[in-house]
Amino acid sequence: MGQNSENVRVAVTGAVYVAPTIATRPTTATSTLGADHKELGYISDGGITETRDRSTNQIRAWQNGALVREPVTESSIRYQFVLIETKKETIELYYGVKVAPDGSIKIDPSKTGGRQSFVIDVIDDDDIIRIDVPSGEVTEVGDQVYVNGDPIGYEVTVTGYAITDGDESYSAIKWYSSLDTTEGAAA
């Protein structure tokens, strides 16, 4: 098959969107998002980190202690990023509460904001990788640091929860526009 340097992707830019879990979900890497999807703004130059974790249980036979099976017992997918725009959507996501009309928030460290839908676009020129997390929740937040010369960052970790869609169960869907071979797709 050979090597092709045109297939090397770089996450040049992108965006993260949040919406209620009932919002219309994307159907392709390039489908238009609905008005319910709010862009969270600039993300720090550290980008977005996707982490997939798995735990397994090794089943061994009595005979020679041979490994006979290793089923997955736990799994998760998480997305971590630092938002650097201070705006309503960012503050509400980070603190898990609504911003009052006067710009204040009442901080309750136990609040997560509940389950929401997330869309992450990773863009390299005309190539788009789109990730749809239909049911996600902010499960971790980073420290707030206030220092001269650096942006105030809002570090969040979004955990994707499994949903059932037809006869499939999954926590996220990922589309690669460069791999789309359906009729009418860009080559």
Side-chain angles (χ1 to χ4, degrees), residues 16 22 59 75 79 92-93 95 106-107 139 143 150 178:
V16 177
I22 59 171
I59 300 172
S75 62
Y79 297 90
E92 289 181 348
L93 185 71
Y95 286 102
K106 293 184 176 145
I107 301 171
T139 54
D143 296 336
D150 287 335
S178 63

Coordinates of all heavy atoms in Angstrom, one line a residue, residues 16 22 59 75 79 92-93 95 106-107 139 143 150 178:
V16 N -14.8 23.5 20.6 CA -15.6 22.6 21.5 C -16.9 23.3 21.6 O -17.0 24.5 21.9 CB -14.9 22.4 22.8 CG1 -15.8 21.6 23.7 CG2 -13.5 21.8 22.6
I22 N -30.7 16.9 24.7 CA -31.8 16.7 23.8 C -31.6 17.4 22.5 O -32.4 17.3 21.5 CB -33.1 17.2 24.4 CG1 -33.0 18.7 24.8 CG2 -33.5 16.3 25.6 CD1 -34.4 19.3 25.2
I59 N -8.2 -14.2 33.5 CA -8.8 -15.5 33.9 C -7.8 -16.5 33.6 O -7.4 -16.7 32.4 CB -10.1 -15.8 33.2 CG1 -11.2 -14.7 33.6 CG2 -10.6 -17.1 33.7 CD1 -12.5 -14.8 32.9
S75 N -14.4 0.5 31.5 CA -13.8 1.3 30.4 C -14.4 2.7 30.5 O -15.5 2.9 31.1 CB -14.1 0.7 29.0 OG -15.5 0.7 28.8
Y79 N -12.2 13.7 27.9 CA -11.6 14.7 27.1 C -11.2 15.8 28.1 O -12.1 16.3 28.8 CB -12.6 15.3 26.0 CG -12.9 14.2 25.0 CD1 -14.0 13.3 25.2 CD2 -12.1 14.0 23.9 CE1 -14.3 12.3 24.3 CE2 -12.4 13.0 23.0 CZ -13.5 12.1 23.2 OH -13.8 11.1 22.3
E92 N -20.1 28.8 33.2 CA -21.2 27.8 33.6 C -20.7 26.4 33.5 O -21.0 25.5 34.4 CB -22.4 28.0 32.8 CG -23.2 29.3 33.1 CD -24.4 29.6 32.3 OE1 -24.7 28.9 31.3 OE2 -25.2 30.5 32.7
L93 N -19.9 26.1 32.5 CA -19.3 24.7 32.4 C -18.4 24.4 33.5 O -18.4 23.4 34.1 CB -18.7 24.6 31.0 CG -18.2 23.2 30.7 CD1 -19.3 22.2 30.5 CD2 -17.2 23.2 29.5
Y95 N -17.9 25.9 36.5 CA -18.5 25.9 37.9 C -19.7 25.0 38.0 O -20.1 24.7 39.2 CB -18.8 27.3 38.4 CG -17.5 28.1 38.7 CD1 -17.0 29.0 37.8 CD2 -16.8 27.8 39.9 CE1 -15.8 29.7 38.1 CE2 -15.7 28.5 40.2 CZ -15.2 29.4 39.3 OH -14.0 30.1 39.6
K106 N -22.9 31.4 42.3 CA -22.8 30.9 43.7 C -22.1 29.5 43.6 O -22.6 28.6 42.9 CB -24.2 30.7 44.3 CG -24.8 32.1 44.5 CD -26.2 32.0 45.2 CE -26.6 33.4 45.5 NZ -28.0 33.5 45.4
I107 N -20.9 29.4 44.1 CA -20.0 28.3 44.0 C -20.4 27.2 45.0 O -20.3 27.4 46.2 CB -18.6 28.7 44.1 CG1 -18.2 29.8 43.0 CG2 -17.6 27.5 43.9 CD1 -16.9 30.4 43.2
T139 N -16.4 16.0 35.0 CA -16.1 15.2 36.2 C -14.9 15.7 37.0 O -14.7 15.3 38.1 CB -16.0 13.7 35.8 OG1 -15.0 13.6 34.8 CG2 -17.3 13.1 35.3
D143 N -7.2 23.6 38.9 CA -7.1 24.8 39.8 C -7.2 26.1 39.0 O -6.9 26.2 37.8 CB -5.7 24.8 40.4 CG -5.5 23.6 41.3 OD1 -6.5 23.0 41.8 OD2 -4.3 23.3 41.6
D150 N -0.3 35.6 32.2 CA -0.9 34.4 31.7 C -2.4 34.5 31.7 O -3.0 35.2 32.6 CB -0.5 33.2 32.6 CG 0.9 32.7 32.4 OD1 1.5 33.0 31.3 OD2 1.5 32.2 33.4
S178 N -11.7 12.9 5.9 CA -10.8 12.4 4.9 C -11.0 10.9 4.6 O -10.5 10.4 3.6 CB -9.3 12.6 5.3 OG -9.0 11.9 6.4

